[in-house]
Amino acid sequence: MRVDVLTIFPEMFTGFLNTSIIKRAREQGHLTVNLVDIRDYARNKHRSVDDYPFGGGPGMVMQAEPIFLAVEALLPGAGAVRPPIILLSPQGEVFNQALASELARQERLILICGHYEGVDERVRQFLVNREVSIGDYVLTGGELPAMVIIDAVTRLLPGVLGDPAGATEDSFAMGLLEYPQYTRPRSFRGLEVPEVLLSGNHEQIRLWRRQQALERTWRRRPDLLAKLELSPEDRRLLVDIIRRAENEELQGE
Ligand code: 4FV
């Protein structure tokens, strides 16, 4: 996959691109990240890319022209498929694992990182074909959201994660929160690892993990459960979970 990132702070990506899984994915050719400094497309000697908002108001707005020129310089010739041109902004569709999986199927992505109060509306109307938010809060810029998307998408690319199962068994990939994980030592400050995980009984382990994932999701994110197609086994496990919780409630535990 190739990702072009339009930003006025390319230096923010240095550490992110040269560490751990992202670094290895780039080295192994699974991912190419091309950082484009929007200021290189500013047609003024000060390389400024922002200006005062028409109609007044606080802050500055990023101008349309440098962004249009920067994107057009990246686009393949006429007739070729246009990659998704994504503006990171709080007004976009909220990013989640399903969108990460969808974007991971693309050959290319072009990500536009806004700054200041945002970008000129004509960028949104006439250049970008998707707008994505990483959550309902306001950041100083679109760079961190761009890194979030690159990170979530890259780990879904074939060959990036050592064990592909790592991605398919993810929280959210299954639509549930992840089950508890344990590693050595089996006893830490008197805190023991659940026996079932030491039993070697893979069916019992699978069942315990499913039960734990269902219970954790039911307690913390019932909204996710509502979206899920539950198997007969899941329904049985959930009935047991809810009955136990009600008993605990009754016993006032
Ligand atoms: C944001 C978000 C975000 C808004 C104004 C950058 C800032 C400034 N982007 N998800 N939440 N962007 O807060 O994507 O331009």
Side-chain angles (χ1 to χ4, degrees):
M1 169 180 277
R2 169 177 165 162
V3 183
D4 297 288
V5 181
L6 275 65
T7 171
I8 57 174
F9 295 113
E11 64 275 20
M12 278 183 74
F13 292 80
T14 311
F16 168 69
L17 295 177
N18 298 293
T19 310
S20 183
I21 290 171
I22 305 298
K23 179 176 183 239
R24 197 182 59 216
R26 297 175 57 230
E27 287 167 347
Q28 294 175 346
H30 299 299
L31 173 72
T32 303
V33 177
N34 171 40
L35 299 174
V36 176
D37 188 336
I38 299 169
R39 292 190 189 286
D40 294 345
Y41 295 86
R43 292 218 241 211
N44 60 80
K45 65 179 178 309
H46 307 296
R47 291 164 57 82
S48 75
V49 294
D50 62 313
D51 206 333
Y52 295 99
F54 279 123
M60 301 294 274
V61 176
M62 289 185 80
Q63 294 173 296
E65 183 183 50
I67 298 173
F68 270 75
L69 295 174
V71 169
E72 287 157 358
L74 293 167
L75 293 179
V81 180
R82 258 192 178 209
I85 301 169
I86 299 173
L87 173 64
L88 290 311
S89 99
Q91 288 91 37
E93 55 190 299
V94 177
F95 189 58
N96 58 22
Q97 196 66 20
L99 182 48
S101 305
E102 184 191 330
L103 295 177
R105 291 191 286 274
Q106 297 285 333
E107 283 299 307
R108 278 188 74 180
L109 300 175
I110 296 179
L111 305 179
I112 301 173
C113 305
H115 247 278
Y116 314 112
E117 296 310 308
V119 302
D120 184 291
E121 188 63 16
R122 290 163 284 192
V123 170
R124 190 176 270 114
Q125 285 174 300
F126 303 106
L127 185 64
V128 303
N129 44 36
R130 202 126 193 206
E131 212 169 331
V132 175
S133 167
I134 62 166
D136 299 339
Y137 38 81
V138 181
L139 302 167
T140 60
E143 283 73 16
L144 292 174
M147 292 182 219
V148 165
I149 289 188
I150 294 170
D151 190 291
V153 166
T154 299
R155 59 188 297 288
L156 298 175
L157 299 176
V160 168
L161 287 186
D163 176 349
T168 49
E169 287 189 15
D170 272 346
S171 280
F172 306 110
M174 305 188 299
L176 291 175
L177 298 184
E178 200 149 312
Y179 47 76
Q181 298 272 19
Y182 294 85
T183 187
R184 287 183 294 194
R186 9 185 338 162
S187 178
F188 168 68
R189 297 184 183 177
L191 307 170
E192 305 301 326
V193 171
E195 270 311 311
V196 63
L197 295 178
L198 310 168
S199 68
N201 180 326
H202 296 298
E203 175 52 18
Q204 282 308 312
I205 291 169
R206 181 194 67 77
L207 212 52
W208 180 85
R209 284 175 166 172
R210 191 70 182 175
Q211 184 271 333
Q212 290 287 316
L214 283 163
E215 177 158 6
R216 187 172 270 189
T217 308
W218 176 70
R219 288 184 187 283
R220 302 180 189 187
R221 294 289 308 280
D223 58 300
L224 294 174
L225 269 186
K227 291 186 216 158
L228 257 190
E229 186 63 39
L230 294 174
S231 68
E233 175 186 86
D234 286 340
R235 262 188 273 283
R236 272 199 312 282
L237 290 169
L238 211 47
V239 165
D240 174 56
I241 289 164
I242 295 168
R243 187 175 299 123
R244 227 168 349 90
E246 283 161 352
N247 293 342
E248 282 160 14
E249 196 82 16
L250 291 171
Q251 280 132 27
E253 269 184 72

